[in-house]
PDB file of all heavy atoms in Angstrom:
ATOM      1  N   THR A   1     137.700 -90.317  29.557  1.00 91.00           N
ATOM      2  CA  THR A   1     137.678 -90.065  30.972  1.00 91.00           C
ATOM      3  C   THR A   1     136.961 -91.288  31.657  1.00 91.00           C
ATOM      4  O   THR A   1     137.394 -91.711  32.715  1.00 91.00           O
ATOM      5  CB  THR A   1     136.875 -88.833  31.266  1.00 91.00           C
ATOM      6  OG1 THR A   1     137.402 -87.699  30.376  1.00 91.00           O
ATOM      7  CG2 THR A   1     136.962 -88.361  32.764  1.00 91.00           C
ATOM      8  N   SER A   2     135.865 -91.712  31.121  1.00 90.00           N
ATOM      9  CA  SER A   2     135.072 -92.779  31.732  1.00 90.00           C
ATOM     10  C   SER A   2     135.567 -94.221  31.275  1.00 90.00           C
ATOM     11  O   SER A   2     135.199 -95.130  32.072  1.00 90.00           O
ATOM     12  CB  SER A   2     133.584 -92.589  31.438  1.00 90.00           C
ATOM     13  OG  SER A   2     133.361 -92.806  30.035  1.00 90.00           O
ATOM     14  N   LYS A   3     136.209 -94.312  30.068  1.00 92.00           N
ATOM     15  CA  LYS A   3     136.533 -95.612  29.667  1.00 92.00           C
ATOM     16  C   LYS A   3     137.955 -95.944  29.821  1.00 92.00           C
ATOM     17  O   LYS A   3     138.792 -95.266  29.074  1.00 92.00           O
ATOM     18  CB  LYS A   3     136.098 -95.837  28.202  1.00 92.00           C
ATOM     19  CG  LYS A   3     134.639 -95.718  27.856  1.00 92.00           C
ATOM     20  CD  LYS A   3     134.264 -96.083  26.512  1.00 92.00           C
ATOM     21  CE  LYS A   3     132.838 -95.837  26.189  1.00 92.00           C
ATOM     22  NZ  LYS A   3     132.698 -94.479  25.572  1.00 92.00           N
ATOM     23  N   GLU A   4     138.326 -96.811  30.775  1.00 93.00           N
ATOM     24  CA  GLU A   4     139.808 -97.111  30.939  1.00 93.00           C
ATOM     25  C   GLU A   4     140.380 -97.835  29.711  1.00 93.00           C
ATOM     26  O   GLU A   4     141.583 -97.616  29.468  1.00 93.00           O
ATOM     27  CB  GLU A   4     140.040 -97.857  32.181  1.00 93.00           C
ATOM     28  CG  GLU A   4     139.191 -99.137  32.413  1.00 93.00           C
ATOM     29  CD  GLU A   4     137.846 -98.961  32.842  1.00 93.00           C
ATOM     30  OE1 GLU A   4     136.950 -98.647  31.959  1.00 93.00           O
ATOM     31  OE2 GLU A   4     137.498 -98.985  33.994  1.00 93.00           O
ATOM     32  N   VAL A   5     139.521 -98.590  29.078  1.00 94.00           N
ATOM     33  CA  VAL A   5     140.060 -99.276  27.890  1.00 94.00           C
ATOM     34  C   VAL A   5     138.830 -99.477  26.874  1.00 94.00           C
ATOM     35  O   VAL A   5     137.672 -99.756  27.277  1.00 94.00           O
ATOM     36  CB  VAL A   5     140.706-100.644  28.249  1.00 94.00           C
ATOM     37  CG1 VAL A   5     139.601-101.540  29.037  1.00 94.00           C
ATOM     38  CG2 VAL A   5     141.222-101.408  27.050  1.00 94.00           C
ATOM     39  N   ASP A   6     139.014 -99.308  25.573  1.00 95.00           N
ATOM     40  CA  ASP A   6     138.049 -99.358  24.577  1.00 95.00           C
ATOM     41  C   ASP A   6     138.548-100.163  23.295  1.00 95.00           C
ATOM     42  O   ASP A   6     139.590 -99.700  22.792  1.00 95.00           O
ATOM     43  CB  ASP A   6     137.564 -98.062  24.248  1.00 95.00           C
ATOM     44  CG  ASP A   6     136.360 -97.993  23.257  1.00 95.00           C
ATOM     45  OD1 ASP A   6     136.240 -98.917  22.604  1.00 95.00           O
ATOM     46  OD2 ASP A   6     135.609 -96.910  23.238  1.00 95.00           O
ATOM     47  N   ALA A   7     137.960-101.156  22.923  1.00 95.00           N
ATOM     48  CA  ALA A   7     138.334-101.915  21.704  1.00 95.00           C
ATOM     49  C   ALA A   7     138.348-101.063  20.476  1.00 95.00           C
ATOM     50  O   ALA A   7     139.122-101.346  19.428  1.00 95.00           O
ATOM     51  CB  ALA A   7     137.617-103.185  21.475  1.00 95.00           C
ATOM     52  N   GLY A   8     137.464 -99.972  20.409  1.00 95.00           N
ATOM     53  CA  GLY A   8     137.486 -99.122  19.316  1.00 95.00           C
ATOM     54  C   GLY A   8     138.798 -98.405  19.010  1.00 95.00           C
ATOM     55  O   GLY A   8     139.096 -97.962  17.867  1.00 95.00           O
ATOM     56  N   VAL A   9     139.674 -98.285  19.969  1.00 96.00           N
ATOM     57  CA  VAL A   9     140.895 -97.641  19.874  1.00 96.00           C
ATOM     58  C   VAL A   9     141.929 -98.441  18.990  1.00 96.00           C
ATOM     59  O   VAL A   9     142.911 -97.858  18.461  1.00 96.00           O
ATOM     60  CB  VAL A   9     141.634 -97.470  21.332  1.00 96.00           C
ATOM     61  CG1 VAL A   9     142.959 -96.841  21.188  1.00 96.00           C
ATOM     62  CG2 VAL A   9     140.775 -96.491  22.175  1.00 96.00           C
ATOM     63  N   LEU A  10     141.540 -99.657  18.685  1.00 96.00           N
ATOM     64  CA  LEU A  10     142.387-100.413  17.635  1.00 96.00           C
ATOM     65  C   LEU A  10     142.329 -99.848  16.308  1.00 96.00           C
ATOM     66  O   LEU A  10     143.338 -99.824  15.586  1.00 96.00           O
ATOM     67  CB  LEU A  10     141.802-101.857  17.502  1.00 96.00           C
ATOM     68  CG  LEU A  10     141.975-102.890  18.642  1.00 96.00           C
ATOM     69  CD1 LEU A  10     141.117-104.103  18.372  1.00 96.00           C
ATOM     70  CD2 LEU A  10     143.527-103.310  18.665  1.00 96.00           C
ATOM     71  N   SER A  11     141.352 -98.981  16.014  1.00 96.00           N
ATOM     72  CA  SER A  11     141.201 -98.341  14.696  1.00 96.00           C
ATOM     73  C   SER A  11     142.089 -97.246  14.620  1.00 96.00           C
ATOM     74  O   SER A  11     142.369 -96.789  13.440  1.00 96.00           O
ATOM     75  CB  SER A  11     139.738 -97.852  14.494  1.00 96.00           C
ATOM     76  OG  SER A  11     139.436 -96.836  15.370  1.00 96.00           O
ATOM     77  N   ILE A  12     142.669 -96.644  15.681  1.00 95.00           N
ATOM     78  CA  ILE A  12     143.619 -95.590  15.559  1.00 95.00           C
ATOM     79  C   ILE A  12     144.983 -95.880  15.861  1.00 95.00           C
ATOM     80  O   ILE A  12     145.984 -95.188  15.450  1.00 95.00           O
ATOM     81  CB  ILE A  12     143.134 -94.284  16.495  1.00 95.00           C
ATOM     82  CG1 ILE A  12     143.209 -94.664  17.925  1.00 95.00           C
ATOM     83  CG2 ILE A  12     141.799 -93.833  16.000  1.00 95.00           C
ATOM     84  CD1 ILE A  12     143.835 -93.510  18.665  1.00 95.00           C
ATOM     85  N   ILE A  13     145.231 -97.006  16.621  1.00 96.00           N
ATOM     86  CA  ILE A  13     146.660 -97.359  16.819  1.00 96.00           C
ATOM     87  C   ILE A  13     147.165 -98.282  15.689  1.00 96.00           C
ATOM     88  O   ILE A  13     148.342 -98.449  15.516  1.00 96.00           O
ATOM     89  CB  ILE A  13     146.851 -98.117  18.179  1.00 96.00           C
ATOM     90  CG1 ILE A  13     146.005 -99.393  18.302  1.00 96.00           C
ATOM     91  CG2 ILE A  13     146.582 -97.305  19.405  1.00 96.00           C
ATOM     92  CD1 ILE A  13     146.352-100.311  19.473  1.00 96.00           C
ATOM     93  N   SER A  14     146.234 -98.664  14.805  1.00 95.00           N
ATOM     94  CA  SER A  14     146.608 -99.578  13.709  1.00 95.00           C
ATOM     95  C   SER A  14     145.718 -99.109  12.502  1.00 95.00           C
ATOM     96  O   SER A  14     145.371 -97.963  12.371  1.00 95.00           O
ATOM     97  CB  SER A  14     146.375-101.047  14.037  1.00 95.00           C
ATOM     98  OG  SER A  14     146.885-101.839  12.943  1.00 95.00           O
ATOM     99  N   TYR A  15     145.308-100.050  11.654  1.00 94.00           N
ATOM    100  CA  TYR A  15     144.491 -99.716  10.546  1.00 94.00           C
ATOM    101  C   TYR A  15     143.097 -99.387  11.050  1.00 94.00           C
ATOM    102  O   TYR A  15     142.594 -99.943  11.927  1.00 94.00           O
ATOM    103  CB  TYR A  15     144.399-101.092   9.693  1.00 94.00           C
ATOM    104  CG  TYR A  15     143.559-100.792   8.404  1.00 94.00           C
ATOM    105  CD1 TYR A  15     144.162-100.254   7.280  1.00 94.00           C
ATOM    106  CD2 TYR A  15     142.305-101.078   8.307  1.00 94.00           C
ATOM    107  CE1 TYR A  15     143.449-100.076   6.112  1.00 94.00           C
ATOM    108  CE2 TYR A  15     141.455-100.896   7.238  1.00 94.00           C
ATOM    109  CZ  TYR A  15     142.144-100.386   6.037  1.00 94.00           C
ATOM    110  OH  TYR A  15     141.454-100.170   4.925  1.00 94.00           O
ATOM    111  N   PRO A  16     142.543 -98.259  10.545  1.00 95.00           N
ATOM    112  CA  PRO A  16     142.994 -97.525   9.253  1.00 95.00           C
ATOM    113  C   PRO A  16     143.692 -96.229   9.633  1.00 95.00           C
ATOM    114  O   PRO A  16     144.319 -95.622   8.626  1.00 95.00           O
ATOM    115  CB  PRO A  16     141.741 -97.137   8.578  1.00 95.00           C
ATOM    116  CG  PRO A  16     140.663 -97.044   9.685  1.00 95.00           C
ATOM    117  CD  PRO A  16     141.118 -97.885  10.760  1.00 95.00           C
ATOM    118  N   ALA A  17     143.786 -95.771  10.848  1.00 94.00           N
ATOM    119  CA  ALA A  17     144.305 -94.419  11.009  1.00 94.00           C
ATOM    120  C   ALA A  17     145.785 -94.326  11.291  1.00 94.00           C
ATOM    121  O   ALA A  17     146.404 -93.380  10.836  1.00 94.00           O
ATOM    122  CB  ALA A  17     143.611 -93.815  12.307  1.00 94.00           C
ATOM    123  N   PHE A  18     146.371 -95.302  11.783  1.00 95.00           N
ATOM    124  CA  PHE A  18     147.878 -95.415  12.156  1.00 95.00           C
ATOM    125  C   PHE A  18     148.229 -93.950  12.742  1.00 95.00           C
ATOM    126  O   PHE A  18     149.190 -93.396  12.361  1.00 95.00           O
ATOM    127  CB  PHE A  18     148.645 -95.695  10.848  1.00 95.00           C
ATOM    128  CG  PHE A  18     148.462 -96.966  10.275  1.00 95.00           C
ATOM    129  CD1 PHE A  18     147.680 -97.102   9.107  1.00 95.00           C
ATOM    130  CD2 PHE A  18     148.945 -98.082  10.769  1.00 95.00           C
ATOM    131  CE1 PHE A  18     147.362 -98.382   8.615  1.00 95.00           C
ATOM    132  CE2 PHE A  18     148.675 -99.470  10.347  1.00 95.00           C
ATOM    133  CZ  PHE A  18     147.948 -99.533   9.242  1.00 95.00           C
ATOM    134  N   ALA A  19     147.416 -93.564  13.790  1.00 95.00           N
ATOM    135  CA  ALA A  19     147.632 -92.170  14.205  1.00 95.00           C
ATOM    136  C   ALA A  19     148.707 -91.960  15.312  1.00 95.00           C
ATOM    137  O   ALA A  19     149.122 -90.913  15.721  1.00 95.00           O
ATOM    138  CB  ALA A  19     146.306 -91.555  14.779  1.00 95.00           C
ATOM    139  N   VAL A  20     149.199 -93.155  15.891  1.00 95.00           N
ATOM    140  CA  VAL A  20     150.091 -93.012  17.026  1.00 95.00           C
ATOM    141  C   VAL A  20     151.536 -93.477  16.520  1.00 95.00           C
ATOM    142  O   VAL A  20     151.666 -94.733  16.004  1.00 95.00           O
ATOM    143  CB  VAL A  20     149.697 -93.927  18.216  1.00 95.00           C
ATOM    144  CG1 VAL A  20     150.626 -93.638  19.419  1.00 95.00           C
ATOM    145  CG2 VAL A  20     148.202 -93.658  18.587  1.00 95.00           C
ATOM    146  N   GLU A  21     152.527 -92.637  16.686  1.00 93.00           N
ATOM    147  CA  GLU A  21     153.851 -92.924  16.136  1.00 93.00           C
ATOM    148  C   GLU A  21     154.716 -93.775  17.127  1.00 93.00           C
ATOM    149  O   GLU A  21     155.653 -94.510  16.754  1.00 93.00           O
ATOM    150  CB  GLU A  21     154.623 -91.650  15.841  1.00 93.00           C
ATOM    151  CG  GLU A  21     154.114 -90.931  14.518  1.00 93.00           C
ATOM    152  CD  GLU A  21     153.127 -89.881  14.864  1.00 93.00           C
ATOM    153  OE1 GLU A  21     152.712 -89.762  15.975  1.00 93.00           O
ATOM    154  OE2 GLU A  21     152.809 -89.185  13.862  1.00 93.00           O
ATOM    155  N   ASP A  22     154.489 -93.571  18.345  1.00 93.00           N
ATOM    156  CA  ASP A  22     155.236 -94.156  19.515  1.00 93.00           C
ATOM    157  C   ASP A  22     154.891 -95.732  19.644  1.00 93.00           C
ATOM    158  O   ASP A  22     153.785 -96.009  20.104  1.00 93.00           O
ATOM    159  CB  ASP A  22     155.036 -93.393  20.856  1.00 93.00           C
ATOM    160  CG  ASP A  22     155.923 -93.980  21.931  1.00 93.00           C
ATOM    161  OD1 ASP A  22     156.301 -95.065  21.787  1.00 93.00           O
ATOM    162  OD2 ASP A  22     156.178 -93.181  22.860  1.00 93.00           O
ATOM    163  N   LEU A  23     155.776 -96.589  19.166  1.00 94.00           N
ATOM    164  CA  LEU A  23     155.430 -98.055  19.219  1.00 94.00           C
ATOM    165  C   LEU A  23     155.152 -98.557  20.618  1.00 94.00           C
ATOM    166  O   LEU A  23     154.448 -99.572  20.796  1.00 94.00           O
ATOM    167  CB  LEU A  23     156.598 -98.832  18.524  1.00 94.00           C
ATOM    168  CG  LEU A  23     156.592 -98.926  17.001  1.00 94.00           C
ATOM    169  CD1 LEU A  23     157.730 -99.743  16.534  1.00 94.00           C
ATOM    170  CD2 LEU A  23     155.250 -99.637  16.524  1.00 94.00           C
ATOM    171  N   ASP A  24     155.874 -98.040  21.533  1.00 95.00           N
ATOM    172  CA  ASP A  24     155.630 -98.492  22.967  1.00 95.00           C
ATOM    173  C   ASP A  24     154.185 -98.189  23.347  1.00 95.00           C
ATOM    174  O   ASP A  24     153.542 -99.111  23.975  1.00 95.00           O
ATOM    175  CB  ASP A  24     156.631 -97.804  23.884  1.00 95.00           C
ATOM    176  CG  ASP A  24     158.080 -98.179  23.673  1.00 95.00           C
ATOM    177  OD1 ASP A  24     158.249 -99.327  23.080  1.00 95.00           O
ATOM    178  OD2 ASP A  24     158.927 -97.367  24.107  1.00 95.00           O
ATOM    179  N   VAL A  25     153.776 -97.025  23.041  1.00 95.00           N
ATOM    180  CA  VAL A  25     152.274 -96.633  23.336  1.00 95.00           C
ATOM    181  C   VAL A  25     151.336 -97.552  22.587  1.00 95.00           C
ATOM    182  O   VAL A  25     150.364 -98.075  23.155  1.00 95.00           O
ATOM    183  CB  VAL A  25     151.954 -95.257  23.056  1.00 95.00           C
ATOM    184  CG1 VAL A  25     150.539 -94.865  23.230  1.00 95.00           C
ATOM    185  CG2 VAL A  25     152.912 -94.318  23.929  1.00 95.00           C
ATOM    186  N   VAL A  26     151.648 -97.878  21.303  1.00 95.00           N
ATOM    187  CA  VAL A  26     150.785 -98.756  20.539  1.00 95.00           C
ATOM    188  C   VAL A  26     150.692-100.109  21.094  1.00 95.00           C
ATOM    189  O   VAL A  26     149.653-100.747  21.313  1.00 95.00           O
ATOM    190  CB  VAL A  26     151.346 -98.859  19.063  1.00 95.00           C
ATOM    191  CG1 VAL A  26     150.643 -99.945  18.248  1.00 95.00           C
ATOM    192  CG2 VAL A  26     151.222 -97.435  18.335  1.00 95.00           C
ATOM    193  N   ASN A  27     151.908-100.711  21.543  1.00 95.00           N
ATOM    194  CA  ASN A  27     152.019-102.053  21.995  1.00 95.00           C
ATOM    195  C   ASN A  27     151.249-102.203  23.368  1.00 95.00           C
ATOM    196  O   ASN A  27     150.551-103.054  23.685  1.00 95.00           O
ATOM    197  CB  ASN A  27     153.381-102.593  22.121  1.00 95.00           C
ATOM    198  CG  ASN A  27     153.917-102.832  20.670  1.00 95.00           C
ATOM    199  OD1 ASN A  27     153.202-103.072  19.755  1.00 95.00           O
ATOM    200  ND2 ASN A  27     155.241-102.572  20.606  1.00 95.00           N
ATOM    201  N   THR A  28     151.449-101.191  24.275  1.00 95.00           N
ATOM    202  CA  THR A  28     150.834-101.127  25.565  1.00 95.00           C
ATOM    203  C   THR A  28     149.379-101.030  25.363  1.00 95.00           C
ATOM    204  O   THR A  28     148.585-101.852  26.166  1.00 95.00           O
ATOM    205  CB  THR A  28     151.261 -99.886  26.435  1.00 95.00           C
ATOM    206  OG1 THR A  28     152.774 -99.778  26.390  1.00 95.00           O
ATOM    207  CG2 THR A  28     150.784 -99.950  27.848  1.00 95.00           C
ATOM    208  N   THR A  29     148.865-100.179  24.639  1.00 95.00           N
ATOM    209  CA  THR A  29     147.320-100.082  24.300  1.00 95.00           C
ATOM    210  C   THR A  29     146.788-101.419  23.817  1.00 95.00           C
ATOM    211  O   THR A  29     145.828-101.738  24.204  1.00 95.00           O
ATOM    212  CB  THR A  29     147.148 -98.949  23.362  1.00 95.00           C
ATOM    213  OG1 THR A  29     147.751 -97.833  23.813  1.00 95.00           O
ATOM    214  CG2 THR A  29     145.638 -98.628  23.237  1.00 95.00           C
ATOM    215  N   LYS A  30     147.467-102.021  22.817  1.00 95.00           N
ATOM    216  CA  LYS A  30     146.977-103.201  22.307  1.00 95.00           C
ATOM    217  C   LYS A  30     146.936-104.364  23.304  1.00 95.00           C
ATOM    218  O   LYS A  30     145.947-105.092  23.454  1.00 95.00           O
ATOM    219  CB  LYS A  30     147.870-103.741  21.066  1.00 95.00           C
ATOM    220  CG  LYS A  30     147.319-104.823  20.247  1.00 95.00           C
ATOM    221  CD  LYS A  30     147.989-104.993  18.837  1.00 95.00           C
ATOM    222  CE  LYS A  30     149.357-105.550  18.940  1.00 95.00           C
ATOM    223  NZ  LYS A  30     149.962-105.782  17.637  1.00 95.00           N
ATOM    224  N   GLU A  31     147.979-104.467  24.145  1.00 95.00           N
ATOM    225  CA  GLU A  31     148.048-105.437  25.211  1.00 95.00           C
ATOM    226  C   GLU A  31     146.948-105.196  26.224  1.00 95.00           C
ATOM    227  O   GLU A  31     146.205-106.141  26.664  1.00 95.00           O
ATOM    228  CB  GLU A  31     149.336-105.494  26.006  1.00 95.00           C
ATOM    229  CG  GLU A  31     150.567-106.160  25.167  1.00 95.00           C
ATOM    230  CD  GLU A  31     151.864-105.790  25.607  1.00 95.00           C
ATOM    231  OE1 GLU A  31     152.028-105.236  26.882  1.00 95.00           O
ATOM    232  OE2 GLU A  31     152.806-105.917  24.853  1.00 95.00           O
ATOM    233  N   GLU A  32     146.614-103.961  26.566  1.00 94.00           N
ATOM    234  CA  GLU A  32     145.558-103.589  27.484  1.00 94.00           C
ATOM    235  C   GLU A  32     144.226-104.107  26.831  1.00 94.00           C
ATOM    236  O   GLU A  32     143.416-104.688  27.628  1.00 94.00           O
ATOM    237  CB  GLU A  32     145.432-102.035  27.595  1.00 94.00           C
ATOM    238  CG  GLU A  32     146.377-101.496  28.574  1.00 94.00           C
ATOM    239  CD  GLU A  32     145.790-101.557  29.987  1.00 94.00           C
ATOM    240  OE1 GLU A  32     144.971-100.774  30.328  1.00 94.00           O
ATOM    241  OE2 GLU A  32     146.360-102.315  30.794  1.00 94.00           O
ATOM    242  N   ILE A  33     143.901-103.831  25.676  1.00 95.00           N
ATOM    243  CA  ILE A  33     142.707-104.172  24.991  1.00 95.00           C
ATOM    244  C   ILE A  33     142.606-105.727  24.932  1.00 95.00           C
ATOM    245  O   ILE A  33     141.492-106.205  25.367  1.00 95.00           O
ATOM    246  CB  ILE A  33     142.704-103.676  23.554  1.00 95.00           C
ATOM    247  CG1 ILE A  33     142.511-102.157  23.581  1.00 95.00           C
ATOM    248  CG2 ILE A  33     141.414-104.277  22.791  1.00 95.00           C
ATOM    249  CD1 ILE A  33     142.630-101.436  22.289  1.00 95.00           C
ATOM    250  N   ILE A  34     143.619-106.437  24.629  1.00 96.00           N
ATOM    251  CA  ILE A  34     143.577-107.880  24.425  1.00 96.00           C
ATOM    252  C   ILE A  34     143.404-108.604  25.873  1.00 96.00           C
ATOM    253  O   ILE A  34     142.522-109.444  26.060  1.00 96.00           O
ATOM    254  CB  ILE A  34     144.793-108.484  23.776  1.00 96.00           C
ATOM    255  CG1 ILE A  34     144.693-108.074  22.243  1.00 96.00           C
ATOM    256  CG2 ILE A  34     144.872-110.014  23.853  1.00 96.00           C
ATOM    257  CD1 ILE A  34     145.981-108.383  21.439  1.00 96.00           C
ATOM    258  N   SER A  35     144.188-108.053  26.849  1.00 95.00           N
ATOM    259  CA  SER A  35     144.075-108.736  28.182  1.00 95.00           C
ATOM    260  C   SER A  35     142.862-108.439  28.936  1.00 95.00           C
ATOM    261  O   SER A  35     142.307-109.230  29.588  1.00 95.00           O
ATOM    262  CB  SER A  35     145.251-108.240  29.069  1.00 95.00           C
ATOM    263  OG  SER A  35     145.191-106.858  29.226  1.00 95.00           O
ATOM    264  N   LYS A  36     142.173-107.335  28.710  1.00 94.00           N
ATOM    265  CA  LYS A  36     140.974-106.900  29.463  1.00 94.00           C
ATOM    266  C   LYS A  36     139.638-107.108  28.781  1.00 94.00           C
ATOM    267  O   LYS A  36     138.597-107.315  29.353  1.00 94.00           O
ATOM    268  CB  LYS A  36     141.022-105.447  29.935  1.00 94.00           C
ATOM    269  CG  LYS A  36     142.165-105.078  30.976  1.00 94.00           C
ATOM    270  CD  LYS A  36     142.061-103.680  31.358  1.00 94.00           C
ATOM    271  CE  LYS A  36     143.201-103.540  32.427  1.00 94.00           C
ATOM    272  NZ  LYS A  36     143.381-102.092  32.800  1.00 94.00           N
ATOM    273  N   LEU A  37     139.643-107.139  27.407  1.00 94.00           N
ATOM    274  CA  LEU A  37     138.443-107.186  26.657  1.00 94.00           C
ATOM    275  C   LEU A  37     138.241-108.416  25.868  1.00 94.00           C
ATOM    276  O   LEU A  37     137.182-108.727  25.443  1.00 94.00           O
ATOM    277  CB  LEU A  37     138.347-105.954  25.773  1.00 94.00           C
ATOM    278  CG  LEU A  37     138.433-104.645  26.461  1.00 94.00           C
ATOM    279  CD1 LEU A  37     138.295-103.457  25.380  1.00 94.00           C
ATOM    280  CD2 LEU A  37     137.351-104.383  27.408  1.00 94.00           C
ATOM    281  N   GLN A  38     139.340-109.247  25.583  1.00 95.00           N
ATOM    282  CA  GLN A  38     139.145-110.443  24.649  1.00 95.00           C
ATOM    283  C   GLN A  38     138.507-111.517  25.415  1.00 95.00           C
ATOM    284  O   GLN A  38     138.773-111.940  26.507  1.00 95.00           O
ATOM    285  CB  GLN A  38     140.489-110.792  24.102  1.00 95.00           C
ATOM    286  CG  GLN A  38     140.401-111.927  23.126  1.00 95.00           C
ATOM    287  CD  GLN A  38     141.674-111.952  22.274  1.00 95.00           C
ATOM    288  OE1 GLN A  38     141.740-111.216  21.285  1.00 95.00           O
ATOM    289  NE2 GLN A  38     142.549-112.981  22.587  1.00 95.00           N
ATOM    290  N   GLY A  39     137.574-112.217  24.609  1.00 93.00           N
ATOM    291  CA  GLY A  39     136.854-113.422  25.033  1.00 93.00           C
ATOM    292  C   GLY A  39     137.068-114.563  24.022  1.00 93.00           C
ATOM    293  O   GLY A  39     137.943-114.501  23.242  1.00 93.00           O
ATOM    294  N   ARG A  40     136.127-115.442  24.092  1.00 94.00           N
ATOM    295  CA  ARG A  40     136.173-116.607  23.160  1.00 94.00           C
ATOM    296  C   ARG A  40     135.566-116.307  21.791  1.00 94.00           C
ATOM    297  O   ARG A  40     135.804-117.036  20.859  1.00 94.00           O
ATOM    298  CB  ARG A  40     135.398-117.702  23.720  1.00 94.00           C
ATOM    299  CG  ARG A  40     136.161-118.475  24.824  1.00 94.00           C
ATOM    300  CD  ARG A  40     135.160-119.438  25.532  1.00 94.00           C
ATOM    301  NE  ARG A  40     134.483-120.360  24.689  1.00 94.00           N
ATOM    302  CZ  ARG A  40     133.373-120.975  25.102  1.00 94.00           C
ATOM    303  NH1 ARG A  40     132.832-120.793  26.289  1.00 94.00           N
ATOM    304  NH2 ARG A  40     132.783-121.855  24.301  1.00 94.00           N
ATOM    305  N   TYR A  41     134.794-115.187  21.625  1.00 94.00           N
ATOM    306  CA  TYR A  41     134.081-114.853  20.433  1.00 94.00           C
ATOM    307  C   TYR A  41     134.443-113.504  19.874  1.00 94.00           C
ATOM    308  O   TYR A  41     133.848-113.005  18.875  1.00 94.00           O
ATOM    309  CB  TYR A  41     132.578-114.790  20.661  1.00 94.00           C
ATOM    310  CG  TYR A  41     132.031-116.210  21.165  1.00 94.00           C
ATOM    311  CD1 TYR A  41     132.078-116.615  22.545  1.00 94.00           C
ATOM    312  CD2 TYR A  41     131.565-117.184  20.282  1.00 94.00           C
ATOM    313  CE1 TYR A  41     131.601-117.828  22.897  1.00 94.00           C
ATOM    314  CE2 TYR A  41     131.116-118.340  20.564  1.00 94.00           C
ATOM    315  CZ  TYR A  41     131.219-118.748  21.982  1.00 94.00           C
ATOM    316  OH  TYR A  41     130.621-119.855  22.344  1.00 94.00           O
ATOM    317  N   GLY A  42     135.501-112.888  20.415  1.00 94.00           N
ATOM    318  CA  GLY A  42     135.927-111.440  20.045  1.00 94.00           C
ATOM    319  C   GLY A  42     136.247-110.770  21.165  1.00 94.00           C
ATOM    320  O   GLY A  42     136.598-111.321  22.229  1.00 94.00           O
ATOM    321  N   CYS A  43     136.163-109.415  21.025  1.00 94.00           N
ATOM    322  CA  CYS A  43     136.390-108.563  22.146  1.00 94.00           C
ATOM    323  C   CYS A  43     135.138-107.758  22.523  1.00 94.00           C
ATOM    324  O   CYS A  43     134.349-107.401  21.615  1.00 94.00           O
ATOM    325  CB  CYS A  43     137.481-107.477  21.879  1.00 94.00           C
ATOM    326  SG  CYS A  43     139.025-108.120  21.394  1.00 94.00           S
ATOM    327  N   CYS A  44     134.882-107.518  23.830  1.00 94.00           N
ATOM    328  CA  CYS A  44     133.828-106.582  24.148  1.00 94.00           C
ATOM    329  C   CYS A  44     134.259-105.110  23.843  1.00 94.00           C
ATOM    330  O   CYS A  44     135.396-104.887  23.816  1.00 94.00           O
ATOM    331  CB  CYS A  44     133.238-106.870  25.538  1.00 94.00           C
ATOM    332  SG  CYS A  44     134.446-106.929  26.875  1.00 94.00           S
ATOM    333  N   ARG A  45     133.326-104.261  23.739  1.00 94.00           N
ATOM    334  CA  ARG A  45     133.703-102.920  23.268  1.00 94.00           C
ATOM    335  C   ARG A  45     134.394-102.089  24.438  1.00 94.00           C
ATOM    336  O   ARG A  45     135.441-101.591  24.253  1.00 94.00           O
ATOM    337  CB  ARG A  45     132.385-102.137  22.989  1.00 94.00           C
ATOM    338  CG  ARG A  45     131.611-102.709  21.747  1.00 94.00           C
ATOM    339  CD  ARG A  45     130.558-101.938  21.186  1.00 94.00           C
ATOM    340  NE  ARG A  45     129.582-101.472  22.309  1.00 94.00           N
ATOM    341  CZ  ARG A  45     128.530-100.701  22.014  1.00 94.00           C
ATOM    342  NH1 ARG A  45     128.262-100.277  20.899  1.00 94.00           N
ATOM    343  NH2 ARG A  45     127.649-100.525  23.078  1.00 94.00           N
TER     344      ARG A  45
END
C-alpha cells in the first residue's frame, strides 16, 4: 500500500520464488524497479 515500487520484489518475480506466471506482469515490474530504483552502485530498496 505504501511502497509503489520495491527492489525486494525481484526475489519473487524471479529467483528464488518464481511466483508470478504472467510474463507481462514480471517484465513490467522489473522495468519499474530498474527505471525508478537503479543507480550507479546498485538499486535502492
Side-chain angles (χ1 to χ4, degrees):
T1 312
S2 68
K3 298 187 190 93
E4 54 280 86
V5 59
D6 183 337
V9 174
L10 285 170
S11 67
I12 66 132
I13 59 170
S14 184
Y15 184 84
F18 299 104
V20 185
E21 287 96 352
D22 188 332
L23 273 181
D24 292 338
V25 175
V26 169
N27 292 330
T28 308
T29 308
K30 190 161 79 176
E31 281 162 23
E32 278 275 291
I33 291 168
I34 291 170
S35 64
K36 291 184 177 171
L37 301 179
Q38 184 162 280
R40 284 167 52 197
Y41 298 87
C43 301
C44 42
R45 300 189 303 179

